[in-house]
Amino acid sequence: MSTDTAPPTDDVAKVPGQPQEPGASPGRSDEKGSSDRSGYVQPVVDVAAITALLDGRYAEIRQTVRDQLVEHAQVLVDAEEMTRSDFRDRVRDVVVEMAATGQTGMGFPTEHGGGGDIGASLAAFETLALGDLSVLVKVGVQFGLFGGAVLQLGTQRHHDRYLADIVSGRLMGCFAMTETGHGSNVQALGTVATYDLATQEFVITSTRPDAWKDYIGNAAAHGEMAVVFAQLVVGGESKGVHALMVPIRVDGEPAPGVKIEDDGLKMGLNGVDNGRLWFDGVRVPREALLNRFADVTPEVLYTSDIDNANKRFFTMLGTLVQGRVCVGGAGINASKVAITIATKYALNRRQFEATSETEEELLLDYGLHQRRLFPLLARTYALHFAQEVVAGQVHDVFTGTLDPDADPDLARRELESRAAGTKALGTWHATRTIQECREACGGAGYLAENRFAALKADTDVFTTFEGDNHVLLQLVAKGLLTAYSSEFEDMDQFGMVLFVAGLAVETVIEKTNVHKLLERIKDVLPGGDDRWDQEAGLLDPDYQLAMYRFREEHTLAGVARRLKRGIDSGMNPGQVFSRVQDHVIAAARAHMERLVLEAFVEKTRAMPDGDDKVALNLLCDLHALSGIEADRAWYMEHGRLSSQRSKAISREIADLCRRIRPIAGDLVDALAVPEAMLRSPEMLGRV
Amino acid sequence: MSTDTAPPTDDVAKVPGQPQEPGASPGRSDEKGSSDRSGYVQPVVDVAAITALLDGRYAEIRQTVRDQLVEHAQVLVDAEEMTRSDFRDRVRDVVVEMAATGQTGMGFPTEHGGGGDIGASLAAFETLALGDLSVLVKVGVQFGLFGGAVLQLGTQRHHDRYLADIVSGRLMGCFAMTETGHGSNVQALGTVATYDLATQEFVITSTRPDAWKDYIGNAAAHGEMAVVFAQLVVGGESKGVHALMVPIRVDGEPAPGVKIEDDGLKMGLNGVDNGRLWFDGVRVPREALLNRFADVTPEVLYTSDIDNANKRFFTMLGTLVQGRVCVGGAGINASKVAITIATKYALNRRQFEATSETEEELLLDYGLHQRRLFPLLARTYALHFAQEVVAGQVHDVFTGTLDPDADPDLARRELESRAAGTKALGTWHATRTIQECREACGGAGYLAENRFAALKADTDVFTTFEGDNHVLLQLVAKGLLTAYSSEFEDMDQFGMVLFVAGLAVETVIEKTNVHKLLERIKDVLPGGDDRWDQEAGLLDPDYQLAMYRFREEHTLAGVARRLKRGIDSGMNPGQVFSRVQDHVIAAARAHMERLVLEAFVEKTRAMPDGDDKVALNLLCDLHALSGIEADRAWYMEHGRLSSQRSKAISREIADLCRRIRPIAGDLVDALAVPEAMLRSPEMLGRV
């Protein structure tokens, strides 16, 4: 489609009849530290300082992980050379070795051998994404999903019995939620756990052909236990989906009543042993129920503090939010590898004589190449800082270090929404960035030793697992439309549509807070309420934020209005939803894009004045304006962008790219991807 | 980015207060053959008839290839299970077996064992892309690149000596053009062939570390000969790049003076043995020069009918245009596999109760899912028909069956441009379609047996090989800007910029013909010259074509203007080019999109009235409007789309999707991908 390309910019036309910015040769780099006639001085970047800014409070654990990745760098080669079976074992061994250093157990309580620091755990995990992604995902399965479920859904009896073995990697396990027939709609699972009053056991049964637990990591080879999600039936009554500890493998063989199949070759992540589990009347003791939110006792049978089954289910799921935060962070960090390789390659590779008759031009001196790579680099920074915010929220919510005035339930619901949205944006960014960077590296990018093969194949499923991205964005939208009401978690699509239809549109908007944020920001812009969108400078972050907030508010109001009209006109809520679905997704995206930009702006605003701040502001401006440019049609349709100003934004983006050009190498170096993780010796001129 | 999502449509808002189109339940399928209040009758599709339309005049050879793919279906599994080395041999064997049936040699003269039908050859090749793509690419390397170079650049002596063995697969060979340091800029190759007067031999030498012939198919294992592109030096004078026949392997060992390295594991296509070649003073006889366009004789040394070295080089390259046409077609056909699987899956898979409280909804009944898949389906049809046009042009140009009034040189230049552009669009479409379809199939799409793994990995390099897509679009733009002047091939970027700068902008536009086409089409639209863009119906193909042509003309004029201004302002032509580069690419895309739409419109217009025509018109409208919607910002910026009409286009697209929904299964069936090529037994409910 023709708009995949950036729109034409008119920079050449700006100063007809006279040379452009003498001293700054267009299309190629200004010298660092030099200044042009406009007074702009090229910043000189302190790479280590920017790395420190990116690493934040978890610099130490991040560096530990980077060092370990270098130590285990051979695994990147093994992924290509070993048989699938050998590589699975190799990955397991690396994971267990890493566990011994403590870095994979940072999120567990110290009394069970963990590090007792959830924030550090998230930072450690996402840094792993600079290396082999089977190792990353195996760590995620073992410590995040399996261990996390035992920690969050279990109680003391489970913690005492299992956690130390899980943290050390002595007990490998599975998170058996998804089934062949149900991934997104977990509440419709076909695995049943029926309580047998006589023996005080649960009987686990896979009831339908599509109820195989599927795509389950650690299932095909290494897992001994599984946290199995099943419809709990007690006294003949269904109590909804609950989780139980179920042994699946004994001495390397499937446990009695358990059938195990191998999912076989996958697009990537072949160091992780994904498989299918089938339960044929497998009996586990009553105590196997992970009973933090609901229990079955000999005395009262079923008991739970949460009466509503839906709410109970979503409360359980909510405790597992870290998995989504981890995957989002992994996507963002995998993107760093790709953008680093592509940028460094473009600083090394020449092709075609362009500005010189005798020497070929560096790829990075082509305007188009800058346009392809720099917005992705800027967005990688933006998402890194947005991820830092959501990871901080996870830390606060789970560590109980929330602001004392905050409503902990509301904070948890907002966190779930933000985690879902950041995961979607971060993983789509990975898919897009890796693809663009591969293409920008030409045929060399196709060779396995240059990393893109694994990056592309391994990250591909990130947009699907831990929640399909579109489903996650619907969750974000539901939160916005219902203002994270306490009924939020209890509502399906039907419920959400009817809930919104019952409100005044103004109510929806007022409750979201976006309106107030927008008003406040418009107050500080020149032109005030009438002309802020015309008079503010394009590089004023308040202007950029106002544009993002306006889009969010307006899109959200539109969704609310359409949902109401649909219901008022007598349509089935499901039909209404189907018709408004793309609008719902657009509202969620607009919201998430605003949060991402805010995170970046807040980060740069807090920096002391100096060259590093100038450099990061270039990236922040490029990110902000690229987002407006990409959606400029919407802004024009909604009267917030004249065609003149729209074109001016495109020109500004080209200017920003030229200013970033001389510091691009430093800005990717600051991402701190270890050289051993880049490989690509020939591409990067290291042979 | 938020605009990856389709913009919100306002369909629900259209008829406030009353039910939407009673009888047509929104978001889910109308019954086939039913009609709604507006008089629209759902077409009943004749699948076989549409397949016949797609197959066109080459139905027979296409069916032969489909049958052979089914016969060799095991190779899809072998690709996953064999070692790399075994799989390479397996692919070689399949290729040789296929060669025995004649389908791979359709493009060679009958006297050398070929089929003597270039059009059939292209149809056969692109159909191979429904199967394993290593087989496809190995066929392309052997018969297209290697055999094609001998046929097109050689003369009788080479044809008699080699062609029969090449066509049968007895002599496997390489096309050794690309080097580590130079892929796109072939004229800067570092391999030299120096004529030794005394022995009447050429001495082939790799002169620089980056002059390894690289990524060369058939080099690592199977090739015995190579067509080597080298700087020819005769009598101490460089004559530019020429091609020579060079033995590279004897009895399985590298020939004397030849070094061979294996390119190792690649992202995909691991059944093709790509490798590197190094020449250390390898001597070949004078007759090894492929001497159709230039020769070295004992008498006069160097002789050529084409004086200008640049022109000679591009004339040689021009004869190899079939390779690009083949890759474009392969991308389009690989897309058919992906869209077929994803559509059939969405007709089989249910998730979440939406319109019913008791039954989950089919994925394809979600509005968003339709929005994700149907424009890709429509574009696959569009590109198929566009590919048919360019393949027909290849046939005519190379068979000498051009219109007698046509200028054969001009036809050849136009063909080169069209081939380049169709290749770029077709291969980007493959990357995008396969990715979107994989995501639309969730976790199941990640398992190798469901085809996306191979499709994604194998097609990834299509956007790079046979010409990097961005470089190809620059070639398209150069043709447009210079009106395919006879100097066209002789111009580099410098030359093109200076050439255009020397013309009046009006001259550029007049010469391109777009202006005349646009005027003619505006004459038939209501509103005439003033208001055609407001008064014509959105579903009028003349309106759609006028919009595409307007964009092309306007973008092209803008490029010409900016190039001129840049030069006038004293900038270096290379700098001007760098700044205008994204605009150049946009002009080329606009041109290609217009050609694609024209091909689709012409095809549907020629159909007899009836349901099939109605069905294909739905796809054609969806394709046309999706293209306008995607670029609606540009149209608004340039005054050709009001925000009201822009929103109306989005609504129309949603309507078209709902109308396509009931026939979507038939429309993918008509693409005629054999069931054995789809695999995915569980996803498609066939177990």
Side-chain angles (χ1 to χ4, degrees), chain A residues 1-13 17-20 25-27 80 180-185 188 215 263 265-269 276 349 351-356 360 365-368 371-372 379 428 431-432 435 438-439 442-448 452-453 456-458 460-461 463-464 468 470 493-494 551 562 565-566 569 571-572 574-575 578-583 585 589 593 626-627 630-634 636-638 643 646-647 658 682, chain B residues 1-5 7-13 16-20 25-27 80 180-185 188 215 263 265-269 276 349 351-356 360 365-368 371-372 379 428 431-432 435 438-439 442-448 452-453 456-458 460-461 463-464 468 470 493-494 551 562 565-566 569 571-572 574-575 578-583 585 589 593 626-627 630-634 636-638 643 646-647 658 682:
Chain A
M1 314 285 286
S2 56
T3 46
D4 293 348
T5 297
T9 60
D10 259 316
D11 48 352
V12 163
Q18 57 169 290
Q20 292 280 309
S25 67
E80 296 164 13
T180 307
H182 290 94
S184 292
N185 188 8
Y215 319 112
D263 269 326
L265 186 71
K266 294 164 293 174
M267 188 182 292
L269 299 177
R276 299 187 186 94
R349 173 82 171 187
Q351 203 76 178
F352 289 117
E353 295 80 6
T355 50
S356 155
E360 290 182 287
D365 284 324
Y366 284 102
L368 181 65
R371 265 279 197 171
R372 292 169 72 184
R379 190 169 173 81
W428 270 325
T431 299
R432 179 171 156 226
Q435 183 65 35
R438 198 301 288 161
E439 292 184 32
Y446 199 62
L447 302 186
F452 292 106
K456 190 171 155 169
D458 291 344
D460 183 76
V461 79
T463 54
T464 295
D468 171 88
H470 285 106
Q493 291 165 14
F494 273 117
R551 178 175 59 177
R562 289 179 69 200
R565 281 200 194 137
S569 73
M571 279 168 75
N572 171 319
Q575 291 170 339
S578 174
R579 290 206 163 205
V580 183
Q581 194 179 11
D582 53 356
H583 202 159
I585 296 284
R589 278 187 189 249
E593 292 292 351
S626 297
D631 222 6
R632 67 198 200 283
W634 186 91
M636 285 189 277
E637 284 170 355
H638 295 84
S643 55
S646 176
K647 290 177 188 170
R658 280 190 290 274
E682 288 187 31
Chain B
M1 315 283 290
S2 57
T3 47
D4 293 347
T5 296
T9 61
D10 258 316
D11 46 354
V12 164
Q18 56 169 290
Q20 291 280 308
S25 67
E80 296 165 12
T180 307
H182 289 94
S184 292
N185 189 6
Y215 319 111
D263 270 324
L265 187 71
K266 295 165 292 175
M267 187 181 293
L269 299 176
R276 299 186 186 94
R349 173 84 169 185
Q351 203 77 178
F352 289 115
E353 295 81 7
T355 51
S356 155
E360 291 182 287
D365 285 324
Y366 284 102
L368 181 66
R371 266 280 196 168
R372 291 170 72 184
R379 190 169 172 83
W428 269 325
T431 300
R432 178 171 156 226
Q435 183 64 34
R438 199 300 288 162
E439 291 183 33
Y446 199 62
L447 303 186
F452 291 106
K456 192 172 153 168
D458 291 344
D460 182 77
V461 78
T463 54
T464 295
D468 171 88
H470 286 107
Q493 292 165 12
F494 272 119
R551 177 175 60 180
R562 289 179 69 200
R565 280 200 197 139
S569 72
M571 280 170 73
N572 171 319
Q575 292 171 337
S578 174
R579 290 205 162 206
V580 183
Q581 193 179 11
D582 54 356
H583 202 159
I585 296 284
R589 278 188 190 247
E593 292 291 349
S626 296
D631 222 5
R632 67 197 199 284
W634 187 91
M636 285 188 277
E637 283 170 356
H638 295 84
S643 55
S646 176
K647 291 177 186 169
R658 281 192 288 275
E682 288 185 31

Side-chain angles (χ1 to χ4, degrees), chain A residues 52 74 118 167 192 199 226 232 247 256 292 336 400 413 447 451 455 470 479 496 534 599 616-617 652 665:
Chain A
Q74 176 63 27
I118 290 168
V167 170
V192 175
T199 60
L232 201 72
R292 174 165 166 205
K336 292 178 187 171
R413 289 192 289 269
L447 302 186
R451 288 292 266 122
L455 281 171
H470 285 106
M496 188 269 281
Q534 299 153 57
L616 258 62
N617 273 330
E652 192 66 55

Side-chain angles (χ1 to χ4, degrees), chain A residues 364-386:
Chain A
L364 206 57
D365 284 324
Y366 284 102
L368 181 65
H369 217 80
Q370 296 171 9
R371 265 279 197 171
R372 292 169 72 184
L373 296 184
F374 293 165
L376 296 174
L377 174 62
R379 190 169 173 81
T380 303
Y381 268 81
L383 287 167
H384 175 97
F385 292 126

